[in-house]
Amino acid sequence: MRPLKSTLDRMIDRLTAQRVALGWAAGCVAGTHGMVMEVGLGKGRTYDHLRTLFPARDILVFDMWLRVPTALVPDEDRLFLGDFRDTLPKAAERFGRSVRLVHADVGSAREEDEDGISGWVGGLIEPFLAPGALVLSDRRVGLSGWEEVEVPGTEAWPYFGWRVGPLSLLPPP
Ligand SMILES: C[S@@+](CC[C@H](N)C(=O)[O-])C[C@H]1O[C@@H](n2cnc3c(N)ncnc32)[C@H](O)[C@@H]1O
């Protein structure tokens, strides 16, 4: 039987959920310090939105490929191309404990084709997190010990959030 929602409906649901979730996250981390991380650059849509929401913050960006128009190419020293399993551990050596918000947009059309990413990417993200950091994702990437938080406005399209550790409002040393 044909699904009730068209492909266009589902795309609108997804993009709407992402915009609402990212806007909500920006409010959650307002007044704190720390970098932002985009795990899954893809076509650069949510990266561009993060740039708009966080004009003053550094954004670390990860993907296997660079497939964005020139205007959306991140700065060279903030872009990490290659498999997350190689690039995340390497970047964490330099940027550990300095990220306030992670957006892990790592899914594809079929979860079965994702190499089990929801089971391993959280462990690679955790070393980046400043105390009280927020992680948002299109997949259940949370680890035990991460406090799951409800992401508003995502009823039509699932999106997941976690607060990791106590919130620190202290300025960086
Ligand atoms: C849903 S798309 C990201 C969409 C993007 N946020 C946007 O708004 O256009 C997921 C991305 O994760 C990347 N990806 C998935 N598994 C990966 C892996 N193991 N290593 C590196 N990149 C990966 C894919 O190349 C893809 O670009």
Side-chain angles (χ1 to χ4, degrees), residues 93-129:
E93 291 171 14
R94 185 162 163 220
F95 298 105
R97 303 284 165 235
S98 57
V99 172
R100 175 63 50 198
L101 171 66
V102 177
H103 178 227
D105 188 16
V106 296
S108 64
R110 286 163 36 93
E111 198 159 352
E112 308 85 84
D113 299 336
E114 294 171 12
D115 207 8
I117 195 165
S118 58
W120 52 261
V121 80
L124 301 180
I125 286 170
E126 194 172 52
F128 290 89
L129 303 178

Side-chain angles (χ1 to χ4, degrees), residues 13-173:
D13 286 347
R14 175 182 167 211
L15 299 182
T16 303
Q18 288 186 312
R19 186 174 57 181
V20 171
L22 293 176
W24 169 78
C28 290
V29 304
T32 64
H33 60 83
M35 305 173 96
V36 171
M37 216 162 113
E38 172 79 324
V39 183
L41 173 64
K43 295 180 179 167
R45 288 177 298 235
T46 51
Y47 166 63
D48 196 27
H49 202 61
L50 287 168
R51 290 198 306 190
T52 308
L53 290 170
F54 299 99
R57 299 206 197 216
D58 268 332
I59 307 180
L60 305 176
V61 182
F62 298 81
D63 206 300
M64 187 80 83
W65 322 102
L66 184 58
R67 291 187 284 212
V68 293
T70 314
L72 296 183
V73 176
D75 290 343
E76 201 181 334
D77 62 348
R78 295 292 181 260
L79 175 63
F80 303 88
L81 293 178
D83 194 294
F84 296 147
R85 286 164 285 203
D86 300 322
T87 54
L88 286 166
K90 202 147 184 287
E93 291 171 14
R94 185 162 163 220
F95 298 105
R97 303 284 165 235
S98 57
V99 172
R100 175 63 50 198
L101 171 66
V102 177
H103 178 227
D105 188 16
V106 296
S108 64
R110 286 163 36 93
E111 198 159 352
E112 308 85 84
D113 299 336
E114 294 171 12
D115 207 8
I117 195 165
S118 58
W120 52 261
V121 80
L124 301 180
I125 286 170
E126 194 172 52
F128 290 89
L129 303 178
L134 189 62
V135 178
L136 272 186
S137 185
D138 63 334
R139 293 286 182 250
R140 289 196 164 279
V141 305
L143 302 182
S144 86
W146 292 17
E147 180 198 348
E148 185 153 7
V149 289
E150 197 176 322
V151 183
T154 58
E155 296 76 17
W157 189 268
Y159 234 70
F160 308 99
W162 297 267
R163 173 79 71 189
V164 185
L167 181 59
S168 163
L169 292 171
L170 295 176

